[in-house]
C-alpha cells in the first residue's frame, strides 16, 4: 500500500475539489429558492451545512453528504479525514450524528484491494469514535478515488443552529487554525515535514463534537464550519444569510503553526485563486495585509473548524466549551456588524 500515491491519482484533493463558489451559484440558480414544505426547516436557500426536516415538536432529522478525492497518500488517513469532514456538517447544525452511509468510487484497475479496504476502515474508525454505525453505502468503479459519507443526525428543532441567524454585535469565534490546504499542497509537492503531516492529520481528524454542546446555548446565534470555500467564503455565506457585514482582525485568526511558514513561502492549493476570483469583490482587505495573508483567508479547509456568531456576554462560556472539547486554538477573530453583506479584514 505504501507504494500507491493516492494524491497522484486525482486532479484535486479534500475540500479543495469543491466547485468554485461563483460557478456553483450559477449552476444552482433558482434551486436556492425556499422550497414549499413547512417541515423543511433548512433547505438550499442559505447555503447552510445540511438539510433539516422536522419530524415533530421534539425531533428534527439532519441529512448531509460529503465526499472528495484524496488529500493524503495514506489510505487509512484518507478515510478518516473524509469521514470526519462529512460528520462535521451535522455538528455544525448543532446536531448529533446517529448513522452514516459510505460513498465509494475507486479506480479498481489502479488500486489494490488492500488499499481500498484501508480507506473504508479509516472511515469506519471515525464512525466508531462518533458512536454511530456505518450502516451501508454505495460503490462504483470510477477514474479517480472518491470517498465520503452520507451523514444522518438529529437535533431538537428549538436547538437547531443555522448560518443565517447572526446578529449585529455578535462576536465571531473560530474553532480550528487555518492552513489545511497549504499543508496538503506542500505534501503533494514533497515539501511537508513529519511534524507538518502530523499536524495535518491531527486537525483534519478532530471531530467537531463541540457543536452538540453549542446547540444548548441560546447565545450562539449562528454556526457553520469552514471548509472548501475558506474562512472568507463561509463567513460571507453567514453575512448574506443574516444580512449583515463582518469585520475580521487578522492577527487574532489562528493559523496552524506548521502551515504558517509554508503559506509565507507561497504554498497553497489552486482553490485559493478560484475562491478569491469568486468572492474577492465582497472583501475589503487592509492595505497593510500581505498577499500570503489574503490567500490564507481563502485557503480551502478540509474538515475545518466551527465558526460561531456569539452574543458578546457569552464569549467566555463558548470559548470554555471549545477548550473543554480539545480545541486549544479556538479564538475570537472578529464581529458581525450592521451593513451590506461584506467582510472587512484589518491587520490589528
Amino acid at each position: 500500500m505504501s507504494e500507491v500515491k493516492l494524491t497522484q491519482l486525482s486532479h484535486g484533493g479534500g475540500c479543495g475539489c469543491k466547485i468554485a463558489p461563483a460557478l456553483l451559484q450559477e449552476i444552482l440558480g433558482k434551486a436556492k429558492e425556499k422550497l414549499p414544505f413547512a417541515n423543511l426547516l433548512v433547505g438550499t436557500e442559505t447555503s447552510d451545512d445540511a438539510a433539516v426536516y422536522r419530524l415533530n415538536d421534539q425531533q428534527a432529522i439532519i441529512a448531509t453528504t460529503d465526499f472528495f478525492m484524496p488529500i493524503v497518500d495514506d489510505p487509512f488517513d484518507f478515510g478518516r479525514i473524509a469521514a470526519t469532514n462529512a460528520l462535521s456538517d451535522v455538528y455544525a447544525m448543532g446536531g448529533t450524528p446517529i448513522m452514516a452511509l459510505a460513498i465509494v468510487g475507486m479506480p479498481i484497475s489502479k488500486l489494490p484491494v488492500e488499499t481500498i479496504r484501508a480507506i473504508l476502515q479509516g472511515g469506519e474508525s471515525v464512525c466508531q469514535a462518533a458512536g454511530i454505525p456505518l450502516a451501508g453505502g454505495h460503490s462504483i468503479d470510477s477514474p479517480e478515488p472518491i470517498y465520503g459519507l452520507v451523514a444522518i443526525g438529529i437535533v431538537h428543532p428549538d436547538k437547531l443552529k443555522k448560518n443565517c441567524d447572526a446578529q449585529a454585535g455578535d462576536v465571531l469565534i473560530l474553532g480550528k487554525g487555518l492552513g489545511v490546504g497549504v499543508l496538503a499542497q506542500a505534501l503533494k509537492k514533497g515539501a511537508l515535514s513529519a511534524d507538518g503531516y502530523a499536524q495535518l492529520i491531527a486537525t483534519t481528524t478532530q471531530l467537531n463534537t463541540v457543536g452538540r454542546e453549542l446547540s444548548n446555548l441560546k447565545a450562539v446565534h449562528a454556526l457553520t464550519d469552514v471548509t472548501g470555500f475558506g474562512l472568507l467564503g463561509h463567513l460571507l455565506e453567514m453575512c448574506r444569510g443574516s444580512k449583515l457585514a463582518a469585520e475580521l482582525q487578522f492577527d487574532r485568526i489562528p493559523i496552524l503553526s506548521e502551515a504558517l511558514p509554508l503559506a509565507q513561502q507561497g504554498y497553497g492549493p489552486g482553490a485559493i485563486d478560484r475562491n478569491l476570483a469568486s468572492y474577492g469583490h465582497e472583501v475589503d482587505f487592509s492595505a497593510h495585509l500581505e498577499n500570503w495573508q489574503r490567500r490564507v483567508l481563502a485557503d480551502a479547509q478540509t474538515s475545518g473548524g466551527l465558526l460561531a456568531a456569539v452574543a458578546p456576554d457569552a464569549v467566555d462560556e463558548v470559548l470554555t466549551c471549545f477548550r473543554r472539547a480539545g480545541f486549544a486554538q479556538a479564538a475570537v477573530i472578529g464581529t458581525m456588524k450592521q451593513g451590506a453583506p461584506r467582510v472587512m479584514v484589518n491587520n490589528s
Side-chain angles (χ1 to χ4, degrees):
M1 287 191 295
S2 61
E3 297 180 358
V4 178
K5 294 284 189 182
L6 289 176
T7 56
Q8 300 303 315
L9 295 178
S10 58
H11 72 279
C15 287
C17 298
K18 278 189 173 183
I19 295 173
L23 180 56
L24 182 61
Q25 176 65 37
E26 184 179 347
I27 292 170
L28 291 177
K30 292 185 177 180
K32 294 179 73 64
E33 294 179 357
K34 187 171 179 62
L35 298 174
F37 296 91
N39 287 318
L40 184 65
L41 303 182
V42 180
T44 60
E45 60 276 1
T46 58
S47 301
D48 221 318
D49 297 293
V52 183
Y53 192 90
R54 179 172 50 208
L55 298 177
N56 51 54
D57 290 343
Q58 303 294 319
Q59 296 173 311
I61 287 290
I62 301 170
T64 182
T65 181
D66 214 315
F67 53 90
F68 47 61
M69 290 163 281
I71 188 174
V72 296
D73 291 315
D74 183 278
F76 187 78
D77 284 344
F78 169 40
R80 292 170 66 205
I81 294 168
T84 305
N85 180 74
L87 293 178
S88 181
D89 285 339
V90 175
Y91 296 125
M93 306 302 297
T96 299
I98 58 172
M99 184 176 69
L101 305 173
I103 299 169
V104 183
M106 295 291 154
I108 301 301
S109 63
K110 298 177 183 178
L111 287 179
V113 170
E114 293 79 7
T115 298
I116 299 173
R117 183 182 298 124
I119 294 170
L120 272 59
Q121 288 172 339
E124 289 168 0
S125 73
V126 168
C127 290
Q128 289 173 359
I132 64 170
L134 185 52
H138 184 66
S139 62
I140 62 169
D141 186 354
S142 65
E144 296 178 299
I146 297 169
Y147 182 70
L149 299 178
V150 174
I152 305 298
I154 197 164
V155 68
H156 191 291
D158 294 340
K159 296 182 178 181
L160 171 65
K161 300 297 180 183
K162 298 187 285 185
N163 69 355
C164 61
D165 291 333
Q167 299 179 17
D170 278 353
V171 174
L172 293 167
I173 296 176
L174 179 63
K176 293 184 183 181
L178 303 181
V180 170
V182 171
L183 294 174
Q185 199 212 29
L187 173 66
K188 198 164 186 176
K189 290 182 174 294
L192 189 64
S193 68
D195 287 343
Y197 186 79
Q199 190 171 65
L200 172 63
I201 299 304
T203 189
T204 55
T205 59
Q206 184 178 20
L207 286 163
N208 280 320
T209 53
V210 67
R212 296 181 302 196
E213 188 172 357
L214 298 180
S215 73
N216 293 317
L217 303 180
K218 291 185 178 180
V220 176
H221 296 142
L223 195 63
T224 189
D225 63 349
V226 178
T227 55
F229 298 157
L231 173 60
L232 291 176
H234 293 286
L235 177 54
L236 278 166
E237 289 179 338
M238 186 179 287
C239 289
R240 296 184 198 111
S242 304
K243 296 179 174 58
L244 295 171
E247 183 174 359
L248 296 177
Q249 301 294 329
F250 185 87
D251 57 345
R252 295 185 179 184
I253 296 171
I255 298 175
L256 297 169
S257 59
E258 295 292 327
L260 180 57
L262 293 167
Q264 292 170 334
Q265 294 170 43
Y267 283 94
I272 291 177
D273 296 322
R274 295 195 298 273
N275 285 341
L276 288 173
S278 293
Y279 56 63
H281 62 285
E282 298 177 87
V283 181
D284 299 322
F285 291 108
S286 165
H288 301 293
L289 283 178
E290 297 183 33
N291 187 53
W292 74 265
Q293 293 174 307
R294 294 178 173 88
R295 287 173 54 80
V296 80
L297 296 176
D299 183 34
Q301 304 303 290
T302 299
S303 192
L306 295 182
L307 177 65
V310 179
D313 59 1
V315 167
D316 289 343
E317 183 180 10
V318 172
L319 284 174
T320 296
C321 291
F322 273 105
R323 303 262 161 74
R324 189 165 52 229
F327 295 89
Q329 279 198 290
V332 170
I333 64 169
T335 55
M336 300 297 292
K337 297 177 174 292
Q338 293 286 356
R342 293 187 69 81
V343 175
M344 295 154 281
V345 187
N346 297 315
N347 202 21
S348 61

